């Protein structure tokens, strides 16, 4: 069911080449609160695991989805197969022979039928195989479920699939249980199970990260061979930029449920634009003693997706942050605490004056703090500012006014930046303002 | 299953000293009773309901003799025959009640744990309510209810015990299902398009029933005690339907107070022995199957002496 | 304190020295030779990386050095720590040594922290166990100081473990390990569970430890990148043996052992242009292969490799390797027959780790 009538011929060609079309896809999870709030029937917090992702997967390409844990990359992969429910937006699958189908609206049997075309490979091959099923049963089960083969035909197809993934001679593996196989062999069995239905798209969620170094390359090579032989399209989900660089045609960098940069692999690696992409690239420990990690790594960790930072999600960690990034109360708390880790005595001296900082954790563009008198509080803030006048948080402060025994700091309001064209890629960062605003609207 | 048997048996065999002996002793006792139960008509000198042979009535409270190895009781029954036939009754009831409870409890637990939502909540509430009752009281209520429809036979007794044990299977299976539901292989089963029933049957069932045999043997021991208690209270199996130790025990109490304690001693001993045997088997299975409890026998590491040739240096 | 006493008379000698150390553990099938005759030294303030595939015995070696081994395992050989013979101490003496002089950092920090105890209580317990009668103020002062070095704000001192993120917990574990200023720390895959940016932060911290604490560190990892980033020297372990050890730069730029070379080649990094891998799987350590344990997978294997154990030789500047091929290229004379390429058994595609 096409959403728009195709007009231009170029767009037509582009559409036929598109296998998966994601439009503002969002997957939100309702968290269960603690026991008390559940008893009272209160709604828990909402985690926006995937929050407005639009992208197109072209037939035959390898798209890398790269991010840290908590970036939403695994949820995105599950949503593609309908394993995670779509909250809003849509996923459209255009199969080679049956025309477009909207995955995000499918339920039950229809959704299960889709799995003959979209398949998945999991991170932990050991956990992905039923411990009480033999390899023959496990690999052949998709055919049984979809009623596509039985008896000798089933066995023939299973042996064929095992041969394709290199588990040969097959009689050595057919009767084995997963616990009898090595990690690499189990992952081959999982891949065999995925390709036995002859799918078009394979979502591979960290397929090599649990494997030993000496076999990672072997499994990646197998996946490349299968792509060539079977004409597969891959979505390669990973936290490892090094394998993504070798394996992918295009890469989407995800941070806290959003794509922050997407473009051709070469362009991303040769000219990373988003500060997060740059940081990821710089942080990879290379087996080369001459190259050292840079000192200005992003601080902190990926924040809670239930309460993402205001403005750009990456700004609290960003080494290149500027005024318009969306500074807020929690950043002020982090700055004060960081200041306390820099000196022995500051904490004991200043803690009383600033009072409790817990309330700053409620995200807001106004932050009221201090209990030891406005001027004393201002003094501490000035001292912190003096330690690092270039700290971009201060540029986002619009005013500081005295309130009671402390001060109120007002920050400039800013929304999350949208994906915008910059060079050969799309970037969501205030440092790259829209260079093609007129074309985008067309 | 044929492949698995030796595997878990080897695991039990490899457990450390005492628990292995407990298992073997339990197995021996239980097997003796199983032999009694199966071959009762051939082993026992008389039928359990027999009070006369060739028109000659048995003596009342007769002492042990070559005709009556353990004597007779106050109902003119031959005690030895009653004891041997009692093994058949006990094991029949126990096996039936445990099997019924498993057949009902396991699928309910699987369904409840896998589907979740309001079905889960209702079932958990119902099962907890049943579980909260004292088990004997529950069995008495069911025995009363079933007496009118099914009479005082073996099946009625087995069914009144079934109700007690369903919640136990339900709980164990439901809880393991809830955690197994999140396993990657279940997600993988969804990913290959397996419908919910297939997931439960092919992916969850085999992995969540592993603790059921242990529970089964332990419940069997408990069921035997409850059956005896029902019989003791006169609510269980009627003496002319089958021979039941609990009933015999209660009949023998007055005689025991009068000084003749043998008619009470034998059924008591039988109950204690079979319960002990079943419990031992259950504990043994538990140690064999439950890896947390298992402590295997490990040979001490002995380092071979280094060969002089290894130490050559250039 | 004890640390000062030791360092006074042993300035330049090794902090820890293992000579022909073996750590085996029992299974149904017989003893597993997880560590089978390794010799190495760690100097004061040095970071030695220990790298290898899973199952090569690197974790067992790390635990064996600290004495944290499971039931049924045994140690043999010589292990000297600041003049003490570690293998012949009583269980009590070993326990006293752990924490104060020997410490360990684990992969999963959350499983090592008591969820019901505040961070402050963890520090109190650690300090009180080893330094009886220490005052509450002193506990606080020393804990806050080490937390500050780890970048944990003092406001979090009274928090519970679950209130911290993964990287923060690992910092906490390091802080707890270091608050007693041990002379030697084993870190077993300390960053494996962490994201790449946090991993980089932790590597930085470990790398900078010696500046603040003068601690020697054995860093166990499967990631060659981490070794290159953080370590002074590196030991490469295969099938229970250290096959190569030396200065990290030297080992990475001129590996002597074919295993090291192949491991480096099979690692996928940003500069990877082609995929390489090592055929076959690591051997069963109950019955390891004869001669060099790597010979069934080694592309350079000669006949001698399958028959005689290679000798651990210094190839200059303390760069040691146990490999006949390396000896040959260093000028050792081998007979025609010994040098002949080994006819290896066919390795199937799926015979892999």
């Amino acid at each position: 069911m096409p959403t728009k009538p195709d007009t231009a011929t170029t767009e037509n060609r582009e559409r036929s080449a598109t296998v998966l079309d994601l439009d503002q896809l969002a997957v939100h999870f309702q968290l269960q609160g603690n026991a008390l709030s559940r008893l009272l029937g209160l709604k828990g917090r909402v985690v926006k695991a995937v929050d407005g992702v639009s992208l197109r997967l072209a037939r035959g390409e390898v798209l890398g989805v790269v991010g840290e844990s908590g970036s939403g990359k695994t949820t995105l992969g599950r949503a593609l197969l309908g394993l995670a429910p779509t909250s809003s937006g849509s996923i459209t699958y255009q199969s080679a022979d049956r025309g477009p189908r909207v995955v995000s609206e499918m339920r039950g049997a229809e959704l299960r039928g889709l799995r003959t075309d979209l398949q998945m490979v999991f991170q932990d091959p050991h956990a992905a195989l039923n411990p009480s099923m033999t390899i023959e049963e496990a690999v052949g089960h998709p055919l049984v479920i979809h009623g596509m083969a039985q008896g000798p035909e089933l066995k023939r197809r299973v042996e064929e699939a095992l041969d394709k993934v290199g588990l040969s001679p097959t009689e050595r593996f057919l009767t084995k249980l997963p616990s009898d196989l090595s990690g690499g062999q189990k992952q081959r069995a999982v891949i065999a199970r995925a390709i036995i239905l002859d799918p078009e798209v394979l979502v591979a969620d960290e397929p090599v990260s649990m494997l030993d170094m000496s076999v990672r390359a072997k499994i990646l090579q197998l996946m490349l061979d299968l792509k060539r032989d079977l004409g597969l399209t891959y979505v390669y989900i990973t936290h490892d930029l090094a394998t993504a660089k070798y394996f992918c045609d295009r890469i989407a960098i995800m941070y806290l449920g959003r794509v922050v940069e997407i473009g051709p692999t070469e362009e991303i690696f040769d000219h990373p634009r988003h500060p997060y992409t740059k940081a990821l690239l710089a942080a990879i420990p290379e087996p080369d003693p001459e190259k050292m990690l840079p000192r200005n790594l992003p601080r902190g960790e990926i924040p809670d997706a239930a309460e993402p930072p205001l403005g750009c999600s990456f700004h609290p960690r960003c080494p290149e942050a500027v005024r318009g990034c969306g500074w807020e109360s929690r950043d002020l708390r982090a700055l004060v605490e960081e200041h306390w880790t820099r000196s022995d005595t500051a904490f004991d001296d200043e803690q009383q004056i600033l009072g409790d900082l817990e309330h700053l954790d409620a995200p807001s563009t106004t932050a009221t703090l201090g209990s030891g008198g406005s001027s004393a509080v201002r003094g501490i803030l000035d001292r912190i500012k003096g330690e690092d006048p270039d700290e971009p948080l201060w540029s986002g402060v619009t005013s500081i006014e005295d309130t009671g025994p402390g001060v109120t700091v007002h920050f400039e309001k800013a929304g999350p930046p949208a994906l915008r064209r910059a060079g050969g890629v799309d970037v969501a960062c205030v440092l790259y303002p829209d260079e093609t605003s007129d074309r985008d609207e067309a | 299953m044929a492949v698995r048997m030796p595997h878990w048996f080897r695991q039990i065999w490899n457990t450390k000293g005492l628990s292995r002996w407990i298992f073997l002793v339990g197995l021996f006792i239980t097997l003796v009773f199983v032999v009694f139960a199966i071959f009762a008509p051939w082993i026992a000198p008389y039928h359990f309901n027999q009070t006369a042979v060739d028109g000659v009535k048995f003596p009342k409270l007769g002492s042990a003799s070559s005709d009556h190895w353990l004597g007779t009781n106050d109902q003119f029954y031959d005690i030895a025959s009653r004891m041997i036939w009692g093994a058949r009754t006990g094991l029949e009831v126990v096996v039936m009640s445990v099997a019924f409870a498993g057949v009902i409890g396991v699928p309910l637990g699987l369904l409840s744990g896998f589907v979740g939502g309001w079905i889960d909540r209702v079932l958990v509430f119902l099962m907890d309510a049943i579980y909260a009752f004292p088990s004997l009281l529950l069995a008495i209520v069911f025995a009363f209810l079933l007496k009118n429809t099914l009479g005082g036979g073996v099946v009625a007794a087995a069914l009144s015990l079934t109700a007690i044990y369903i919640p136990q299977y339900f709980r164990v299976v439901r809880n393991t299902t809830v955690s197994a539901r999140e396993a990657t292989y279940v997600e993988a089963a969804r990913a290959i398009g397996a419908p919910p029933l297939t997931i439960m049957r092919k992916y969850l069932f085999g992995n969540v029933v592993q603790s059921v045999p242990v529970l089964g043997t332990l419940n069997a021991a408990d069921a035997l005690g409850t059956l005896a208690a029902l019989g003791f209270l006169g609510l269980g199996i009627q003496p002319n339907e089958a021979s039941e130790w609990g009933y015999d025990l209660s009949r023998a109490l007055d005689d025991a107070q009068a000084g003749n304690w043998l008619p009470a001693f034998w059924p008591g001993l039988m109950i204690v022995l079979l319960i002990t045997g079943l419990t031992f088997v259950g504990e043994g299975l538990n140690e064999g199957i439950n890896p947390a409890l298992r402590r295997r026998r490990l040979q001490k590491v002995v380092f071979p002496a280094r060969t002089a040739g290894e130490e050559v240096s250039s | 304190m004890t640390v000062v006493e030791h360092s006074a008379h042993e300035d330049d000698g090794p902090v820890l020295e293992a000579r022909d150390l073996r750590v085996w553990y029992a299974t149904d099938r017989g003893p597993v030779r997880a560590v089978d005759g390794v010799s190495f030294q760690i100097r004061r303030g040095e970071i030695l990386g220990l790298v290898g595939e899973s199952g090569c015995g690197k974790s067992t070696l790390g635990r064996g050095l600290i004495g944290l081994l499971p039931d049924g395992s045994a140690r043999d050989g010589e292990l000297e720590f600041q003049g003490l013979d570690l293998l012949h101490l009583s269980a009590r003496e070993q326990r006293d040594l752990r924490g104060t002089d020997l410490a360990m950092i684990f992969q999963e920090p959350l499983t090592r922290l008591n969820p019901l105890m505040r961070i402050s209580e963890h520090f109190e317990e650690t300090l009180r166990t080893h330094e009886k009668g220490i005052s509450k103020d002193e506990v606080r002062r020393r804990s806050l100081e080490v937390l500050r070095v780890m970048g944990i704000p003092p406001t979090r001192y009274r928090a519970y473990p679950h209130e911290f993120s993964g990287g923060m917990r690992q910092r906490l574990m390091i802080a707890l390990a270091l608050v007693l200023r041990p002379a030697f720390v084993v870190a077993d895959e300390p960053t494996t569970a962490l994201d790449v940016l946090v991993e980089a932060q932790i590597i930085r911290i470990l790398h900078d430890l010696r500046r603040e604490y003068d601690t020697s560190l054995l860093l166990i990892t499967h990631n060659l990148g981490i070794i290159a980033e953080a370590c002074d020297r590196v030991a490469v372990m295969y099938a229970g043996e250290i096959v190569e050890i030396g200065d990290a730069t030297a080992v990475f730029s001129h590996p002597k052992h074919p295993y090291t070379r192949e491991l480096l080649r099979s690692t996928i990094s940003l500069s990877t242009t082609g995929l390489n891998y090592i055929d076959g799987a690591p051997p069963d350590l109950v019955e390891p292969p004869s001669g060099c344990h790597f010979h069934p997978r080694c592309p350079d294997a000669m006949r001698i490799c399958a028959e005689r154990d290679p000798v651990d030789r210094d190839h200059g500047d303390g760069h040691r390797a146990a490999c006949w091929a390396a000896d040959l290229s260093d000028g050792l004379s081998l007979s025609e027959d010994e040098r002949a390429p080994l006819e290896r058994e066919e390795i199937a595609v799926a015979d892999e780790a």
Side-chain angles (χ1 to χ4, degrees):
Chain A
M1 176 177 39
T3 44
K4 272 188 277 181
D6 297 335
T7 45
T9 44
T10 48
E11 200 176 25
N12 239 337
R13 207 179 309 126
E14 208 174 280
R15 287 211 165 234
S16 70
T18 303
V19 196
L20 279 172
D21 191 346
L22 276 62
D23 184 27
Q24 287 298 318
L25 176 73
V27 181
H28 296 177
F29 293 113
Q30 187 86 41
L31 278 190
Q32 297 232 310
N34 56 26
L36 184 67
S37 63
R38 247 178 302 164
L39 270 179
L40 296 172
L42 298 175
K43 286 239 166 169
R45 305 181 304 162
V46 174
V47 171
K48 299 176 177 173
V50 177
D51 196 21
V53 170
S54 301
L55 52 86
R56 278 182 183 181
L57 184 66
R59 196 173 304 281
E61 79 167 337
V62 181
L63 173 71
V65 178
V66 180
E68 294 174 280
S69 50
S71 63
K73 59 186 194 299
T74 295
T75 308
L76 178 70
R78 294 179 64 228
L80 292 181
L81 271 82
L83 290 168
T86 303
S87 308
S88 65
S90 70
I91 305 168
T92 311
Y93 167 58
Q94 323 233 8
S95 73
D97 38 4
R98 287 182 54 189
R101 284 179 279 168
V102 184
V103 176
S104 43
E105 288 171 6
M106 290 185 184
R107 296 283 177 275
E110 196 190 359
L111 190 58
R112 291 196 290 275
L114 179 79
R115 309 284 161 68
T116 56
D117 293 320
L118 302 178
Q119 267 302 318
M120 188 149 183
V121 173
F122 299 86
Q123 175 173 15
D124 182 353
H126 183 70
L129 291 165
N130 183 348
S132 50
M133 260 185 175
T134 63
I135 296 305
E136 183 179 355
E137 284 179 274
V139 172
H141 206 218
L143 291 174
V144 177
I145 288 170
H146 295 279
M148 293 164 82
Q150 53 181 324
E153 167 72 2
L154 176 65
K155 180 152 185 166
R156 193 189 61 74
R157 298 263 312 254
V158 169
E159 287 183 331
E160 195 183 271
L162 290 181
D163 265 328
K164 276 184 194 158
V165 298
L167 287 178
S168 49
T170 49
E171 55 271 23
R172 259 185 64 199
F173 299 98
L174 285 171
T175 55
K176 292 273 170 67
L177 287 172
S179 50
D180 302 327
L181 302 186
S182 72
Q185 289 168 341
K186 275 182 274 205
Q187 195 59 294
R188 283 171 193 267
V190 171
I191 294 173
R193 180 176 64 184
I195 61 161
I196 201 165
L197 292 167
D198 202 10
E200 282 195 79
V201 180
L202 207 58
V203 176
D205 186 0
E206 308 253 18
V208 297
S209 66
M210 299 277 279
L211 303 178
D212 247 318
M213 249 147 6
S214 64
V215 282
R216 282 186 189 175
K218 257 176 129 173
I219 299 295
L220 283 182
Q221 187 63 56
L222 169 70
M223 290 182 64
L224 286 176
D225 294 346
L226 288 173
K227 171 175 144 40
R228 189 194 56 216
D229 298 344
L230 308 175
L232 293 166
T233 303
Y234 284 136
V235 177
Y236 180 73
I237 297 167
T238 186
H239 69 277
D240 178 12
L241 271 167
T243 55
K245 182 181 179 188
Y246 184 79
F247 197 65
C248 304
D249 304 319
R250 222 149 51 94
I251 284 179
I253 309 277
M254 280 189 78
Y255 191 77
L256 223 58
R258 289 163 182 265
V259 171
V260 295
E261 182 163 1
I262 180 168
T265 305
E266 252 176 57
E267 188 65 18
I268 297 262
F269 281 88
D270 293 346
H271 307 287
R273 285 180 175 78
H274 199 285
Y276 180 59
T277 313
K278 289 184 200 167
L280 280 180
L281 274 172
I284 300 175
E286 283 281 284
D288 178 353
E290 305 302 317
K291 289 183 194 155
M292 286 313 257
L293 288 178
R295 285 271 159 187
N296 62 336
L297 284 167
R299 42 197 173 182
E301 283 164 69
I302 199 161
D304 184 0
E307 273 183 305
L310 305 180
C312 168
S313 299
F314 188 57
H315 84 260
R317 306 173 70 190
C318 185
E320 296 178 44
V322 292
R323 179 176 167 182
C325 288
W327 298 98
E328 46 144 320
S329 53
R330 285 174 291 179
D331 301 323
L332 186 62
R333 177 179 181 179
L335 190 70
V336 171
E337 289 187 335
E338 200 190 312
H339 153 75
W340 282 340
T341 64
R342 275 198 290 266
S343 121
D344 265 346
T345 51
F347 176 56
D348 293 326
D349 300 344
E350 297 169 1
Q351 185 199 15
Q352 289 299 318
I353 302 166
L354 288 188
D356 188 26
L357 299 177
E358 295 278 327
H359 64 279
L360 294 181
D361 279 351
S364 165
T365 47
T366 55
T368 307
L369 78 165
S371 54
S374 302
S375 59
V377 176
R378 274 179 190 272
I380 292 172
L381 292 183
D382 285 341
R383 205 175 313 149
I384 296 174
K385 191 173 178 178
E387 279 173 16
D388 181 11
D390 296 333
E391 165 61 48
L393 175 133
W394 302 114
S395 64
V397 174
T398 49
S399 65
I400 300 178
E401 62 188 48
D402 294 353
T403 354
V407 298
T408 300
V409 183
H410 294 272
F411 293 99
E412 201 173 302
K413 278 196 173 66
L419 264 183
R420 288 177 291 237
R421 198 85 194 148
V425 300
D426 292 302
V427 189
C429 176
V430 293
L431 294 175
Y432 299 91
D434 210 345
E435 62 182 42
T436 53
S437 52
D438 38 16
R439 207 194 68 184
D440 238 31
E441 300 300 315
Chain B
M1 228 31 197
V3 194
R4 295 225 150 180
M5 286 284 268
H7 176 64
W8 64 254
F9 193 79
R10 202 169 56 238
Q11 282 186 347
I12 296 169
W13 191 257
N14 282 338
T15 49
K16 277 188 176 170
L18 186 65
S19 57
R20 184 157 62 114
W21 285 111
I22 285 181
F23 177 71
L24 289 177
V25 167
L27 199 64
F28 177 75
I29 298 176
T30 311
L31 282 178
V32 168
F33 278 95
V34 169
V35 168
F36 278 181
I38 295 173
F39 301 104
W42 295 277
I43 298 173
Y46 309 102
H47 193 254
F48 65 87
N49 203 13
Q50 199 173 357
T51 52
V53 65
D54 300 333
V56 181
K57 220 167 183 326
F58 294 161
K60 184 178 181 177
L61 292 170
S63 51
S65 67
S66 58
D67 283 342
H68 304 288
W69 306 333
L70 304 176
T72 52
N73 68 9
D74 71 329
Q75 287 179 300
F76 309 96
Y77 290 135
D78 175 65
I79 295 179
S81 302
R82 294 282 295 180
M83 293 309 103
I84 292 166
W85 282 95
R88 175 177 271 197
T89 315
L91 287 174
E92 266 177 1
V93 172
V94 156
V95 167
M96 271 204 284
S97 65
V98 168
F100 287 158
V103 165
I104 299 169
V106 171
L108 276 184
L110 201 56
L111 183 81
S112 186
F114 182 70
V115 178
W118 66 267
I119 294 184
D120 183 43
R121 250 174 277 167
V122 168
L123 280 171
V124 166
F125 178 78
L126 204 70
M127 293 294 168
D128 280 354
I130 298 177
Y131 196 71
F133 267 95
S135 59
L136 186 59
L137 189 66
L138 202 68
I140 290 172
V141 170
F142 274 96
F144 258 126
L145 292 174
L146 292 169
K147 207 164 194 170
N148 297 329
T149 47
L150 289 170
V154 170
V155 178
L159 282 178
S160 44
L161 293 180
T162 300
I164 308 174
Y165 298 109
I166 290 176
Q168 296 194 20
Y169 293 90
F170 173 82
R171 281 179 155 211
V172 166
V173 171
R174 181 206 168 255
N175 291 345
T176 33
T177 307
V178 166
S179 53
R181 188 179 59 181
E182 305 299 325
T184 312
Y185 63 83
V186 174
E187 170 101 347
R190 275 205 197 95
I192 58 173
L197 208 63
T198 310
I199 295 178
M200 280 193 262
R201 222 162 30 97
K202 296 278 288 183
Y203 289 83
L204 286 171
F205 180 74
N207 295 305
V208 299
V209 294
Q210 285 173 5
S211 46
V212 167
V214 178
L215 192 58
T217 21
L218 292 175
N219 275 348
D222 192 58
L224 194 81
T226 315
L227 173 72
L230 277 182
F232 189 87
L233 295 172
L235 299 163
I237 297 161
Q238 295 311 301
N240 54 342
E241 294 255 6
S243 162
E244 203 274 308
W245 298 327
Y247 175 83
D248 288 2
L249 186 65
S250 76
R251 291 292 305 199
L253 272 192
D254 291 340
D255 305 322
Q257 276 166 2
N260 186 357
W261 52 271
L262 276 174
F265 169 76
W266 292 111
L269 182 69
M270 292 294 135
I271 293 167
V272 169
L273 273 181
L274 187 48
I275 288 181
T276 311
L278 287 170
T279 309
F280 280 10
V281 172
E283 289 298 336
L285 280 178
N286 202 11
E287 300 226 358
I289 289 172
N290 191 342
L293 290 174
R294 189 163 67 233
R295 299 198 62 182
R296 284 177 307 156
R297 290 179 296 164
L298 290 173
Q299 256 105 35
K300 208 170 152 27
V301 173
V302 181
F303 290 101
R306 287 189 169 77
T307 45
E310 273 181 27
E311 304 293 329
V312 196
S313 57
S314 54
Chain C
M1 275 185 307
T2 43
V3 181
V4 182
E5 281 166 25
H6 290 312
S7 57
H9 58 87
E10 274 186 296
D11 245 357
D12 290 294
V15 171
L16 182 113
E17 179 167 13
R19 278 183 297 270
D20 209 6
L21 180 72
R22 298 193 283 189
V23 185
W24 294 8
Y25 57 88
T27 62
D28 300 343
R29 300 186 302 125
V32 173
R33 304 164 175 222
V35 178
D36 203 19
V38 305
S39 305
F40 64 93
Q41 300 181 340
I42 298 182
R43 291 185 282 271
R44 179 160 302 281
E46 178 182 59
I47 303 183
L48 173 66
L50 183 61
V51 73
E53 290 171 272
S54 49
C56 72
K58 55 187 193 299
S59 277
T60 309
L61 175 55
R63 287 161 170 274
L65 297 180
I66 302 288
L68 285 173
L69 286 166
D71 283 351
S73 35
R75 299 186 287 180
D76 178 66
E78 288 175 58
L79 185 58
E80 200 179 300
F81 170 70
Q82 296 184 333
L84 288 167
D85 178 2
L86 282 185
L87 296 193
H88 295 97
L89 291 180
S90 71
R92 207 202 130 77
E93 287 169 313
Q94 287 192 43
R95 217 170 31 244
D96 285 345
L97 216 52
R98 277 201 293 276
T100 47
D101 293 292
L102 302 169
M104 183 131 188
I105 300 164
F106 298 91
Q107 178 180 342
E108 289 289 346
L110 193 56
T111 57
R112 306 282 160 179
L113 294 166
N114 183 344
L116 298 177
M117 274 165 65
R118 294 173 190 277
I119 299 314
S120 54
E121 291 167 313
H122 279 97
F123 277 102
E124 262 164 47
E125 192 190 89
T126 307
L127 283 165
R128 291 243 162 91
T129 316
H130 294 283
E131 293 176 29
K132 307 259 182 305
I134 186 170
S135 74
K136 194 148 185 152
D137 278 348
E138 178 69 4
V139 169
R140 192 182 123 93
R141 193 189 62 74
R142 284 178 53 185
S143 312
L144 286 184
E145 185 198 302
V146 65
L147 285 175
R148 194 168 58 75
V149 174
M150 293 301 135
I152 298 174
T155 40
R156 312 296 298 275
Y157 184 53
R158 307 268 304 149
Y160 287 97
H162 70 89
E163 298 175 66
F164 290 85
S165 59
M168 280 295 188
R169 281 184 206 132
Q170 195 54 281
R171 287 167 193 241
L172 273 176
M173 281 310 297
I174 300 174
L176 275 169
L178 289 175
V179 69
L180 290 159
R181 298 187 165 265
F184 176 60
V185 176
V186 173
D188 190 359
E189 303 268 6
T191 61
T192 307
L194 304 174
D195 282 314
V196 60
L197 291 178
V198 184
E199 178 176 66
Q201 296 166 359
I202 301 287
I203 294 173
R204 266 264 87 85
I205 287 177
L206 291 175
H207 187 258
D208 293 347
L209 276 188
R210 62 187 117 190
R211 224 177 37 211
E212 295 266 356
Y213 292 95
D214 201 20
T215 299
S216 308
L217 181 72
L218 181 75
L219 180 59
I220 301 172
T221 177
H222 65 274
N223 187 335
L224 289 165
I226 292 179
I227 300 275
E229 205 62 60
C231 301
D232 308 305
R233 288 196 310 144
V234 56
V236 182
M237 209 166 163
Y238 182 78
E241 295 175 340
I242 289 181
V243 295
E244 180 160 4
I245 183 169
D247 182 68
T249 319
V251 172
F252 278 68
S253 51
H254 300 290
K256 295 282 178 199
H257 200 286
Y259 178 64
T260 315
R261 188 189 68 215
E262 294 301 313
L263 201 59
L264 278 163
R265 262 160 52 89
S266 65
T267 302
I268 302 167
S269 75
L270 286 179
S271 42
T272 296
T273 50
L275 294 176
N276 295 292
Y277 44 80
I278 311 176
D279 275 322
D284 178 10
L285 293 183
V286 176
E287 282 174 276
S290 62
C292 170
H293 289 182
F294 187 56
H295 84 259
R297 302 172 75 188
C298 181
D300 302 353
M302 303 177 289
R303 281 216 189 122
I304 189 174
C305 302
E307 286 154 17
R308 286 180 58 196
D309 290 351
V311 181
D312 185 11
R313 279 196 179 85
D314 195 326
H315 296 266
D317 292 334
H319 186 165
R320 283 161 41 204
C323 174
W324 289 115
D327 292 343
L328 186 68
S329 62
D330 259 19
L332 183 86
S333 66
L334 294 174
S335 75
E336 191 74 27
D337 190 47
E338 286 172 328
R339 263 184 313 180
L342 182 72
E343 280 164 35
R344 281 196 292 161
E345 286 171 46
E346 191 68 31
I347 300 176
V349 180
D351 280 326
E352 65 193 8

